Each structure stands twice: as structure tokens, then as C-alpha cells.
Amino acid sequence: MTATLVLEDSNPYDDQAVAVHIDDERAGYLSRANARAYRADLAAAGTPDLTVRCNARIVGGFETRDGGRAHFGLK
């Protein structure tokens, strides 16, 4: 599937946040360290406000040995 990386400058918890959207829905966020590195790479390329699309895969969600459910994640 395709994910879109969206800069969230107005995020109340982290003004450097980068959200990951799938099908126009927020599915999660890059880690703080990855968000900052991503923003630095965009700035170094001269495109600090660029919206990027990339391939993504949903992982997890399987049943655990004790009958619980593992969390979903994105790669």
C-alpha cells in the first residue's frame, strides 16, 4: 500500500512531528528521531515542505500464545 508522510508543524506535542497517512487517514507517526532526520533531509534537499509518498506494509495483529492480540505496526 501507499503511505503519505505529512509534516505536522501544529502538533501540540511535537512541532517537528511527521504523521504517516494511509488512505487519507492518520495511521501513526515517525519516531521523534526519525521525524527530525526526515525533516533535515528535506531541508538539505531544498524541499522542506515536500509531501512524500512511499510504499508501506502493515505488520503484526496476530494472535499471541496466550490468546492476546499483538499490536499493529507500519514498515
Side-chain angles (χ1 to χ4, degrees):
M1 63 187 43
T2 300
T4 305
L5 302 179
V6 179
L7 306 179
E8 282 194 0
D9 298 338
S10 62
N11 184 298
Y13 303 103
D14 181 3
D15 64 357
Q16 297 293 302
V18 177
V20 180
H21 287 228
I22 295 179
D23 293 334
D24 296 322
E25 297 280 338
R26 186 175 57 229
Y29 288 91
L30 297 183
S31 70
R32 283 182 186 255
N34 285 339
R36 281 156 177 71
Y38 173 74
R39 284 175 175 264
D41 288 345
L42 288 179
T47 56
D49 297 323
L50 184 68
T51 298
V52 174
R53 293 184 342 172
C54 60
N55 292 329
R57 183 172 25 147
I58 298 174
V59 297
F62 54 87
E63 187 172 322
T64 62
R65 289 185 183 150
D66 64 358
R69 199 83 173 146
H71 293 281
F72 289 95
L74 291 170
K75 289 188 176 217

